[in-house]
Amino acid sequence: MMMKLALCTDVLANLSYTEMLDKVKSLGIDAVEMTAGGWGARKHCNTQELLADAGKRAAFLEELEKRGMRISALNTSCNPTWPSETGKQYAESMYDCATLAGMLGVKKLVAMAGLPAGAPGDTTPNWITSTISWPDFMKPAYEYQWEVTIKFWTDYVEHCKKCGIEQIAIEEFPGTMVWSASTLLKLRNAVDPMIGINLDPSHMMALGADPIAAARALKGCIHHVHGKDARIERGLADVDGILETRPVEEAADRVWNYVAVGCGKDLQWWKEFFSVLSMLGYNGDVSLEMEDLTMSVEAGLLTSIDALEATISK
């Protein structure tokens, strides 16, 4: 076994399913991570249509097989614990995604932990980023959020097991309950070892963590890896720190940005990152997620692929 390059296909949402597969194949990549639930494009994997029609499922898989391609994972990232009608729809889409994965023979899901409100009856998700020591309402809010999160994932894991899912890779995403190595381990230990991390180094970089150190702390828990880079912008972050609320489109003014692989950390860093992952026993897919708004999609894909092909442990 060795690490192989895959592609998160939402970046090619303007293409049809077959056009997307041909494009990915032309880039030298044989595995795709497609959104089948949550807030992604869901352009290439129409979950409801595929659930309802065995013939369409067979045709869907046939297009992959005749190109020698495979599904790396189905992605269902969203906020399923948002106490609203939209949050309920997200949760339902996650359950449907797991059901479809079972029908397609896909064993791994990529997801996010979600973010509840801060108290029963509230409808606004609340990401607590400061100490829970004060004000005095912060601690019970944080405890309540974890109760809601653990309950959701306990139930969801049981559904996934019935569908034949073997791994749920939760992306450590700012603004969710799992945004770090420690919070991932908290959820995993409270629920089930079926839950592991989708190690996306860009999110750790943006919060000032070291993804290589985090990988060591997560040995045995790494289910999936995103090939995605971030850059803390010199000068700007020195003034304002690294918490950033500006829209991602305002790249020139943000204190950090998602960038093509190699435009944040250099290739030596990426070589060490993958070397350590290999040393820790990870030999799965590295799924390129291209979200660099400073260049064209094509330039971002080619830049990232060149960097990843030069650094992943094969």
Side-chain angles (χ1 to χ4, degrees), residues 17 21 56-67:
Y17 174 55
L21 293 179
K56 289 184 178 179
R57 290 197 300 274
F60 177 83
L61 291 173
E62 184 182 357
E63 294 294 342
L64 287 159
E65 290 165 3
K66 70 185 184 182
R67 293 171 174 81

Side-chain angles (χ1 to χ4, degrees), residues 17 34-54 56-57 60 74-77 89-104 109 156 159:
Y17 174 55
M34 288 183 287
T35 305
W39 56 40
R42 288 191 247 176
K43 174 68 181 295
H44 306 120
C45 187
N46 187 321
T47 306
Q48 296 306 316
E49 185 177 272
L50 293 174
L51 283 173
D53 192 323
K56 289 184 178 179
R57 290 197 300 274
F60 177 83
L74 290 184
N75 189 308
T76 182
S77 296
Q89 291 170 5
Y90 284 153
E92 290 173 352
S93 78
M94 288 181 64
Y95 274 77
D96 287 343
C97 177
T99 301
L100 177 61
M103 292 179 174
L104 296 176
L109 301 180
Y156 187 64
H159 173 70

Side-chain angles (χ1 to χ4, degrees), residues 5-20:
L5 196 55
L7 180 70
C8 299
T9 64
D10 271 7
V11 72
L12 301 175
N14 61 313
L15 302 179
S16 70
Y17 174 55
T18 54
E19 289 171 338
M20 176 275 291

Side-chain angles (χ1 to χ4, degrees), residues 297-312:
V297 168
E298 186 75 8
L301 286 173
L302 294 177
T303 298
S304 297
I305 290 169
D306 284 348
L308 290 169
E309 289 286 11
T311 56
I312 64 174

Side-chain angles (χ1 to χ4, degrees), residues 36-273:
W39 56 40
R42 288 191 247 176
K43 174 68 181 295
H44 306 120
C45 187
N46 187 321
T47 306
Q48 296 306 316
E49 185 177 272
L50 293 174
L51 283 173
D53 192 323
K56 289 184 178 179
R57 290 197 300 274
F60 177 83
L61 291 173
E62 184 182 357
E63 294 294 342
L64 287 159
E65 290 165 3
K66 70 185 184 182
R67 293 171 174 81
M69 299 179 71
R70 61 186 171 84
I71 298 174
S72 170
L74 290 184
N75 189 308
T76 182
S77 296
C78 60
N79 184 3
T81 57
W82 178 12
S84 67
E85 184 57 35
T86 303
K88 180 181 178 182
Q89 291 170 5
Y90 284 153
E92 290 173 352
S93 78
M94 288 181 64
Y95 274 77
D96 287 343
C97 177
T99 301
L100 177 61
M103 292 179 174
L104 296 176
V106 176
K107 301 300 184 182
K108 179 166 61 178
L109 301 180
V110 174
M112 292 178 185
L115 182 66
D122 192 3
T123 58
T124 303
N126 187 340
W127 190 38
I128 296 172
T129 58
S130 60
T131 178
I132 60 172
S133 296
W134 64 83
D136 58 6
F137 59 78
M138 297 293 270
K139 184 176 180 180
Y142 193 62
E143 291 174 345
Y144 168 76
Q145 288 183 308
W146 271 108
E147 289 172 6
V148 172
T149 302
I150 290 169
K151 174 64 167 62
F152 173 84
W153 283 99
T154 299
D155 294 342
Y156 187 64
V157 161
E158 288 307 308
H159 173 70
C160 288
K161 286 181 177 179
K162 293 174 184 176
C163 297
I165 307 299
E166 296 176 356
Q167 293 182 323
I168 303 173
I170 295 186
E171 187 170 336
E172 79 305 347
F173 189 70
T176 69
M177 294 302 290
V178 169
W179 52 269
S180 65
S182 296
T183 50
L184 183 280
L185 291 171
K186 180 171 182 172
L187 183 62
R188 174 186 170 94
N189 293 336
V191 179
D192 194 282
M194 182 179 183
I195 290 176
I197 196 165
N198 167 32
L199 181 55
D200 186 322
S202 68
H203 303 318
M204 292 182 172
M205 295 172 192
L207 291 178
D210 177 357
I212 296 174
R216 289 181 179 272
L218 290 163
K219 181 180 180 181
C221 309
I222 303 171
H223 289 349
H224 196 68
V225 173
H226 270 178
K228 187 175 164 196
D229 207 344
R231 183 175 63 232
I232 295 178
E233 304 293 359
R234 62 185 70 194
L236 300 181
D238 297 325
V239 173
D240 278 345
I242 56 177
L243 292 180
E244 179 58 272
T245 58
R246 293 178 182 85
V248 292
E249 293 82 7
E250 297 179 12
D253 298 318
R254 286 172 52 86
V255 300
W256 64 266
N257 288 292
Y258 296 126
V259 292
V261 179
C263 294
K265 299 291 188 182
D266 62 22
L267 296 193
Q268 181 174 337
W269 185 93
W270 282 97
K271 287 179 179 179
E272 181 183 355
F273 175 66

